[in-house]
Amino acid sequence: MMIEHVVIRYGEISLKGKNRHEFEQRLFNNLKRSVSDMPEVRLQRTGGRFIASLGGADVERVMERFSNVFGVFSQSPVEVTALSVDEMVEAAKRVIQEEQGEHPARTFKIEVKRANKRFPLDSLQLAAEVGGRVLEDMPSLTVDVHHPDTTVFIEVRENEAYVFGRRVPAVGGLPVGTAGRVGLLLSGGIDSPVAGWLSLKRGVDIEAIHFHSFPFTSQRALDKVEDLAQILANWAGRVRLHTVHFTDVQTEIRKHCPDSLGITVMRRMMLRIATEIAKQRKLLALVTGESLGQVASQTLESIRTINSVTNVPILRPLIAEDKVDIIRRARQIGTYETSILPYEDCCTIFVPKSPRTRPKPEEAEAAEVNLEIDRLVTEAVERTTQKTFVAKEFIEAPVLRV
Amino acid sequence: MEIYLDNAATTPILPAVREALLEVLDIYGNPSSLHGQGVKAQKVLEGARSEALKALGVRTGKVVFTGGGTEANNLAIFGAVSRHERRGRHLITTSVEHPSVLEAFRSLERHGWNVTYIAPAQDGSVLAADVLSAVTPETVLVSVMHVNNETGAMMPIEEIADGLKVFPKTLFHVDGIQGFGKVRVNLQSHAIHMYSMSGHKLGAPKGVGGLYVRQGLDIHPVLYGGGQEYGLRSGTENVPGIHAFATAVRLAAESMDEESRRVSGLRTLLRDALTQDPRCVVHNPSQVSPYILSVSYPGLKGEVLVHALEREGVYVSTGSACSTKGGRIAASHVMQAMELSDVEITGTLRLSLARWTTEEEVLEAVKIIRQQVDWLYDVGGMK
């Protein structure tokens, strides 16, 4: 049986009331983009879901692409039959058998939607008829209309019927571009790309902000960050990277601030600069890869002291994650191998021998008295360079539902 | 102005080598072919072979062309050991060898061989007496490098070769990759059985090297196939690469002694100028190659210094170019073997000269190093 259609479900966004149309349009565009190299695939919206007509494209490949588009919850390959009950029964049996992998379905139900009102049986009649004949042929099954192991959907259309069941889970979330634009503080490490990915998953557009301190960090470290921005762009469609040339700020901190508060002051400066970029670029929030207690600058006291320099909301999608889980996610989304390349980033260089782990805001302010904060921030923002990354590769990784 | 002082890592292709390379690019024949095109290629190959032998100062023996220095070292070690494994189970090398030697021995160790690793003196040089006193009648192979790639230490290979004469069954391999074409060695009168060479340290392209194998010595190949290169390195020969290699080798050999003296003067100039700064520590082996100077700025990170200098157009390296291992920058095994302190190892810079390095470049580099070191101690060094 040749599969020629795929049903794409997007659950969550149908809850979104009046914005629904915009969400669907975004998702439609994002789905289109994910198969832009396969012009034969056609998409249409129909009753709270999409149906893709493959036009000869490989079904597995198309489903892998769609499964990685944020906003897609699940998909099903569709069998198309003639308007014949016999054919529908055979297709329903194949759908049930498909699902009888390791955990054989014991109960099922048939759900019918009859768009073609000229079809001689109505929905209930057709469901009863197909269900009864499936039961005859597969005696180990029973019908359960409330909690079936398998549901077979039959959709009676003008000239054909769609029969489908198997729900293949997809990445979920909300379509990128529906939740506003945020600034992602992107280092070369493992965490921040994952934080960026998770925010993409909730529908935001991201602009990455990276702090580069040549010669304390190398050209290779910057190349690595650009590679990470590219990977995120492959997911997002487009990511703009702001590279803040940060060397002068760091050397001024070394000169004027006590060593033990160096990291705190450095991160406060980063946040001040990011806040300024957020203002200019109209970014609604900043996203960081912080995880509570992971390193000295990520204690609650430290987060509070650093956070106190800005009014822009800071989102920390990884705040409660364990490192092992972050690493697992980084592997899944394809950033891990790049993140572990051994080039220094600003966070790992200049680490003082005994950093304060619980700095108070007043202490940080006292440490900054000799720092010309406004000048440094203004100059750093002026020196910032931009580069835009657009999706280059189609994401075909296995499904990422966690 | 760009000043390239990282010639121990690799060198630019010399103009004369480029020309020679272009000349033979269209000699496309397979040297093993019977027809005229093959014969032409075969002639290029044989010309290169005699050029290499001449540069080595020997009239007999073979030069086996390889895909570089690492392959030459592997061929020497695995080839000799597998051919002569019945002579014993013991091998000797030093703990400061290049990884292409060290890792080969570690592999043999995992396969049941006993390997003695001779530690260097604190200056990075290895004493001949230490090597010789480890030799037993069971020792199948001794491998000691000619010039250490990180410190420039010249190892007493002729003295070791002479001392080994009383062990006629023990073979002696020298990794000559940093010495070949730069400092003289007398292979003929000292019993050095194998000597590894590399082209890209002398102005030839990457991917070509060679192994000298003494007349009458039989070793096994590592690569099996069509039997090229005396059966020791199968695979259709890299004719243009080998010709380029031979050209670079000829140029190096022509003026080796004069240039060695001149470059030695430059090294002294460089060293003396840098040590006017009391923060600069020189690693000064008792016998040292004129082409390599290793210094340290305790408290600085060599890596940061490298990037600071590159910004000003000066290219140098930290301990060694291939020191990234398993995702982390590994501390140099050579410096560790010399028992240097961690801050000294971290602050190490290697400056490596070439035959074409000028006094003007050295003086300019000194000026820039001084500026950048001052700046880094000011902002990035230890407080």
Side-chain angles (χ1 to χ4, degrees):
Chain A
M1 187 76 212
M2 181 80 165
I3 300 292
E4 281 169 7
H5 301 270
V6 174
V7 167
I8 301 149
R9 298 181 193 81
Y10 45 81
E12 197 171 342
I13 65 176
S14 49
L15 303 173
K16 296 272 176 177
K18 60 180 181 181
N19 291 329
R20 175 172 168 168
H21 177 72
E22 189 209 328
F23 285 131
E24 286 180 337
Q25 194 54 46
R26 284 279 183 186
L27 181 56
F28 185 84
N29 293 344
N30 295 351
L31 284 167
K32 275 294 227 195
R33 189 173 53 73
S34 77
V35 290
S36 59
D37 58 336
M38 298 186 244
E40 65 274 28
V41 178
R42 304 189 152 272
L43 273 173
Q44 89 188 75
R45 189 168 63 219
T46 154
R49 59 191 191 212
F50 291 109
I51 289 190
S53 306
L54 299 176
D58 178 54
V59 61
E60 293 301 323
R61 187 132 184 253
V62 170
M63 287 179 68
E64 271 181 13
R65 297 279 186 85
F66 289 159
S67 74
N68 291 312
V69 174
F70 295 116
V72 176
F73 270 69
S74 70
Q75 309 174 76
S76 299
V78 175
E79 286 207 22
V80 179
T81 72
L83 292 174
S84 124
V85 175
D86 289 350
E87 282 197 29
M88 293 178 206
V89 170
E90 288 312 307
K93 278 156 60 183
R94 275 193 298 271
V95 165
I96 294 167
Q97 269 159 357
E98 278 265 2
E99 297 198 15
Q100 289 191 323
E102 286 175 31
H103 304 288
R106 287 191 308 265
T107 60
F108 76 105
K109 83 169 175 183
I110 306 282
E111 222 178 278
V112 173
K113 192 168 154 193
R114 196 180 58 135
N116 177 353
K117 301 298 179 199
R118 283 165 302 165
F119 191 74
L121 300 176
D122 71 18
S123 303
L124 288 174
Q125 288 169 329
L126 181 57
E129 177 66 20
V130 175
R133 285 173 56 180
V134 168
L135 273 177
E136 273 171 35
D137 293 350
M138 302 174 87
S140 63
L141 292 175
T142 53
V143 172
D144 179 345
V145 292
H146 299 295
H147 304 287
D149 296 330
T150 299
T151 303
V152 179
F153 298 89
I154 298 177
E155 197 171 311
V156 182
R157 300 165 68 94
E158 280 309 304
N159 302 310
E160 66 212 346
Y162 286 177
V163 181
F164 55 92
R166 183 165 65 107
R167 275 174 187 257
V168 184
V171 65
L174 296 168
V176 170
T178 57
R181 200 161 54 179
V182 301
L184 167 70
L185 271 65
L186 182 64
S187 72
I190 294 168
D191 302 344
S192 53
V194 176
W197 184 88
L198 286 170
S199 28
L200 286 173
K201 184 167 179 249
R202 293 313 295 173
V204 300
D205 272 310
I206 55 179
E207 296 201 359
I209 301 169
H210 175 66
F211 295 87
H212 182 54
S213 298
F214 197 84
F216 302 104
T217 58
S218 66
Q219 179 59 41
R220 280 182 181 137
L222 182 56
D223 292 348
K224 167 174 144 177
V225 168
E226 294 191 350
D227 289 347
L228 290 170
Q230 179 63 58
I231 296 171
L232 289 172
N234 292 342
W235 284 94
R238 176 185 293 268
V239 168
R240 179 193 284 250
L241 172 68
H242 301 264
T243 300
V244 181
H245 299 275
F246 197 56
T247 313
D248 286 359
V249 179
Q250 281 199 308
T251 55
E252 288 295 299
I253 294 172
R254 292 288 294 187
K255 263 187 216 158
H256 299 298
C257 308
D259 212 22
S260 62
L261 284 164
I263 299 247
T264 307
V265 174
M266 181 185 85
R267 299 203 70 95
R268 281 162 63 99
M269 289 304 287
M270 287 178 170
L271 212 45
R272 288 181 174 116
I273 293 165
T275 300
E276 203 47 44
I277 292 172
K279 260 188 219 157
Q280 293 184 2
R281 295 290 308 161
K282 300 194 171 58
L283 310 175
L284 300 176
L286 295 170
V287 175
T288 74
E290 286 161 308
S291 158
L292 195 58
Q294 197 186 90
V295 294
S297 65
Q298 297 178 12
T299 61
L300 263 185
E301 290 85 347
S302 187
I303 286 175
R304 170 169 172 264
T305 299
I306 291 163
N307 203 147
S308 67
V309 302
T310 186
N311 289 323
V312 177
I314 298 179
L315 312 181
R316 300 180 175 87
L318 301 178
I319 197 70
E321 291 288 333
D322 291 340
K323 192 75 182 182
V324 286
D325 296 324
I326 300 173
I327 288 174
R328 184 164 43 83
R329 183 63 71 94
R331 286 185 196 276
Q332 287 180 330
I333 66 175
T335 54
Y336 182 76
E337 295 303 324
T338 304
S339 286
I340 59 167
L341 293 174
Y343 313 118
E344 309 260 15
D345 66 55
C346 317
C347 301
T348 58
I349 200 128
F350 275 163
V351 175
K353 289 205 174 58
S354 51
R356 289 288 315 274
T357 53
R358 301 180 194 287
K360 297 193 179 89
E362 311 85 75
E363 290 175 307
E365 277 157 32
E368 288 168 350
V369 282
N370 292 323
L371 210 57
E372 292 179 65
I373 293 169
D374 292 345
R375 177 180 65 83
L376 290 172
V377 171
T378 310
E379 286 175 3
V381 172
E382 276 168 10
R383 272 197 310 269
T384 297
T385 51
Q386 280 86 24
K387 200 164 173 179
T388 300
F389 296 85
V390 292
K392 257 197 213 154
E393 283 171 31
F394 297 102
I395 308 266
E396 288 181 338
V399 171
L400 298 154
R401 193 65 178 274
V402 182
Chain B
M1 178 170 171
E2 288 207 341
I3 303 174
Y4 185 78
L5 296 181
D6 200 12
N7 293 285
T10 194
T11 56
I13 292 180
L14 292 175
V17 173
R18 177 194 298 270
E19 259 172 54
L21 189 58
L22 291 175
E23 270 167 34
V24 297
L25 270 182
D26 289 327
I27 300 183
Y28 62 86
N30 184 330
S32 303
S33 293
L34 297 176
H35 49 64
Q37 292 297 352
V39 173
K40 263 199 231 170
Q42 174 70 20
K43 283 204 171 125
V44 172
L45 216 53
E46 289 324 314
R49 212 182 299 283
S50 59
E51 205 67 75
L53 282 169
K54 207 165 107 190
L56 287 166
V58 290
R59 281 180 305 278
T60 59
K62 311 176 187 113
V63 166
V64 179
F65 290 117
T66 66
T70 290
E71 194 193 319
N73 282 336
N74 274 262
L75 173 60
I77 296 163
F78 289 111
V81 164
S82 72
R83 172 66 185 81
H84 300 287
E85 61 187 351
R86 285 195 209 129
R87 290 181 181 176
R89 294 304 283 173
H90 182 232
L91 308 167
I92 298 172
T93 189
T94 79
S95 54
V96 296
E97 297 299 309
H98 186 267
S100 58
V101 168
L102 219 43
E103 294 302 323
F105 277 98
R106 293 209 176 112
S107 164
L108 288 166
E109 211 174 2
R110 288 191 292 274
H111 286 88
W113 289 79
N114 298 316
V115 181
T116 303
Y117 299 93
I118 306 294
Q122 238 209 317
D123 70 350
S125 58
V126 169
L127 300 179
D130 288 348
V131 175
L132 292 171
S133 65
V135 184
T136 71
E138 283 275 281
T139 308
V140 178
L141 176 70
V142 177
S143 179
V144 177
M145 72 201 322
H146 190 178
V147 171
N148 182 271
N149 52 307
E150 293 190 32
T151 61
M154 285 221 285
M155 307 306 183
I157 51 171
E158 295 182 345
E159 199 183 334
I160 294 169
D162 293 346
L164 285 172
K165 279 182 181 154
V166 294
F167 297 95
K169 299 213 151 185
T170 301
L171 299 173
F172 186 37
H173 164 245
V174 172
D175 166 3
I177 288 160
Q178 295 292 352
F180 178 59
K182 294 175 178 170
V183 286
R184 199 159 281 286
V185 58
N186 195 330
L187 300 174
Q188 196 88 45
S189 51
H190 303 277
I192 293 171
H193 298 97
M194 293 173 287
Y195 188 84
S196 305
M197 303 165 270
S198 167
H200 75 108
K201 314 287 189 191
L202 294 173
K206 287 129 194 91
V208 201
L211 180 68
Y212 158 79
V213 181
R214 198 175 174 86
Q215 171 102 2
L217 172 65
D218 192 18
I219 63 173
H220 279 163
V222 171
L223 299 180
Y224 290 85
Q228 290 88 342
E229 297 296 301
Y230 308 99
L232 289 176
R233 207 284 188 178
S234 286
T236 303
E237 299 88 341
N238 171 7
V239 176
I242 290 169
H243 181 64
F245 171 89
T247 309
V249 165
R250 175 171 54 76
L251 293 171
E254 267 169 14
S255 57
M256 183 158 60
D257 295 334
E258 304 94 271
E259 289 301 340
S260 189
R261 271 193 297 278
R262 190 186 70 85
V263 174
S264 182
L266 289 183
R267 184 184 181 280
T268 307
L269 179 71
L270 186 58
R271 186 197 61 197
D272 292 350
L274 291 178
T275 45
Q276 280 178 9
D277 178 351
R279 295 168 298 197
C280 177
V281 180
V282 175
H283 304 134
N284 218 3
S286 56
Q287 293 294 311
V288 69
S289 162
Y291 290 85
I292 295 178
L293 177 67
S294 172
V295 298
S296 178
Y297 292 92
L300 298 189
K301 281 179 107 166
E303 200 185 329
V304 170
L305 194 42
V306 166
H307 294 313
L309 293 173
E310 121 186 55
R311 193 170 52 174
E312 303 298 322
V314 176
Y315 297 98
V316 302
S317 96
T318 56
S320 166
C322 27
S323 61
T324 316
K325 225 175 173 182
R328 291 191 157 269
I329 311 267
S332 149
H333 68 284
V334 175
M335 306 278 160
Q336 282 179 333
M338 290 159 65
E339 296 181 352
L340 297 181
S341 68
D342 282 349
V343 280
E344 207 171 312
I345 294 176
T346 309
T348 294
L349 217 54
R350 180 188 69 182
L351 305 120
S352 46
L353 313 176
R355 203 167 72 235
W356 46 86
T357 306
T358 65
E359 184 173 328
E360 189 200 355
E361 286 178 310
V362 166
L363 292 174
E364 182 64 18
V366 166
K367 217 166 74 194
I368 293 168
I369 292 169
R370 185 63 195 252
Q371 283 163 2
Q372 295 302 310
V373 164
D374 280 347
W375 178 69
L376 282 173
Y377 270 115
D378 190 28
V379 298
M382 311 233 289
K383 279 202 170 182

